[in-house]
Structure formats: C-alpha cells, structure tokens
Amino acid sequence: MYKVKMKQFIVILLFVTVFYSCKNDSKTETANNTTETTDNIRQVTGNFIYYADAAVLQTKSELFGVIENEKMKELVEKSKAYKNEPTDEVVVTLKVKVSKKPENEEGWENRVDIIDIVSIAKANPDDNDIIKLGNDKNVENQ
C-alpha cells in the first residue's frame, strides 16, 4: 500500500512539474530592472538624455543609443517638463525593441527603438555625476 501511494505521489508531482514548465509565458526577468520577451521587446528602466541630436538610454548594466522616431521625439518633448537644463537626465520606463547597430554606422553597439513610454520622472540630483563647467560668480578668482 505504501508503494502505491508513493507511485501516485511521484506521478502527480511529475505531472505538476511538467505542466508548470510547459506554461506558455514568454517573459523573463533580468537583473537590471528589465522584462524581456521572446521577440527582443523589453520594458527597461533607466536614465534618458537627449542633447545635440543624440539620445542615450543608460540602465544599471547597459548603455543604448536611441533610434530617432516619433516615440523618441514624444519622449523628448514630455521630458522637458522634468529638466532644469538641457543636459539633465530623466528616469524613464520604456517598452523598447533592442537591436545591434549596423557595422557601417557610428554609435553605441546596442540600440533601442522606443515602442511605448510607460513613465517619466525627474532624476535624483544626487545620482547625477555630471561636472558642469562654466563661470560661477560665487567663486573667487585665484
């Protein structure tokens, strides 16, 4: 009787394991706050900057050039409300399609095509490692 219950338990456990592993879910979570699907579309959170006709998206572990399209232009316009200066970054969550840049083009190795803008927020000024040069009237000449 013990062997029969043990066999039933193993069969049920095997059935549940197979059923669970065959679940049709194409999303996987990655370590840098992104959700990736099987067709290279990700939801990415990172810092976005657009300056002098160049757009860059930086996550904790990756750096992307941003393809100029209507969604990128929309993001640039919406992000102006969160900036004090043109060189300020904004924190964004975007749905993007990731691709490699063509060999004959300059720019970042990886690039993203923005599919959807999920959220935009002002960057934390303490996280901003940019050094700004210029004349400061409060600094004495030495």
Side-chain angles (χ1 to χ4, degrees):
M1 178 137 171
Y2 178 73
K3 288 183 179 182
V4 172
K5 286 192 176 195
M6 189 61 147
K7 284 182 182 179
Q8 288 176 343
F9 176 74
I10 291 174
V11 169
I12 291 173
L13 183 63
L14 182 63
F15 178 74
V16 169
T17 304
V18 169
F19 180 74
Y20 183 74
S21 66
C22 291
K23 182 180 170 188
N24 191 12
D25 188 4
S26 63
K27 293 182 180 179
T28 56
E29 294 290 328
T30 58
N32 58 354
N33 294 333
T34 66
T35 304
E36 186 171 350
T37 60
T38 56
D39 53 354
N40 284 338
I41 294 178
R42 297 186 198 179
Q43 182 168 308
V44 181
T45 300
N47 292 336
F48 173 78
I49 187 168
Y50 177 78
Y51 188 73
D53 297 329
V56 177
L57 177 65
Q58 179 181 5
T59 66
K60 290 182 180 181
S61 63
E62 296 176 286
L63 197 59
F64 301 100
V66 179
I67 296 171
E68 188 171 335
N69 62 15
E70 290 303 314
K71 281 293 185 182
M72 193 270 309
K73 291 175 184 175
E74 180 183 340
L75 178 60
V76 169
E77 286 303 312
K78 286 182 175 182
S79 67
K80 287 180 181 178
Y82 299 93
K83 294 179 169 188
N84 295 327
E85 296 186 31
T87 56
D88 288 347
E89 297 177 337
V90 291
V91 178
V92 295
T93 301
L94 306 169
K95 286 187 181 177
V96 297
K97 184 169 185 174
V98 179
S99 62
K100 297 282 185 190
K101 75 167 179 69
E103 290 184 27
N104 57 350
E105 285 187 18
E106 290 185 19
W108 304 108
E109 181 180 336
N110 295 315
R111 59 190 198 172
V112 293
D113 189 6
I114 300 173
I115 297 180
D116 192 25
I117 301 167
V118 177
S119 69
I120 305 171
K122 189 170 189 149
N124 185 351
D126 296 336
D127 293 341
N128 195 352
D129 293 335
I130 297 174
I131 298 173
K132 296 183 181 180
L133 302 175
N135 293 333
D136 188 354
K137 295 179 183 178
N138 296 329
V139 177
E140 294 179 32
N141 288 335
Q142 295 182 1

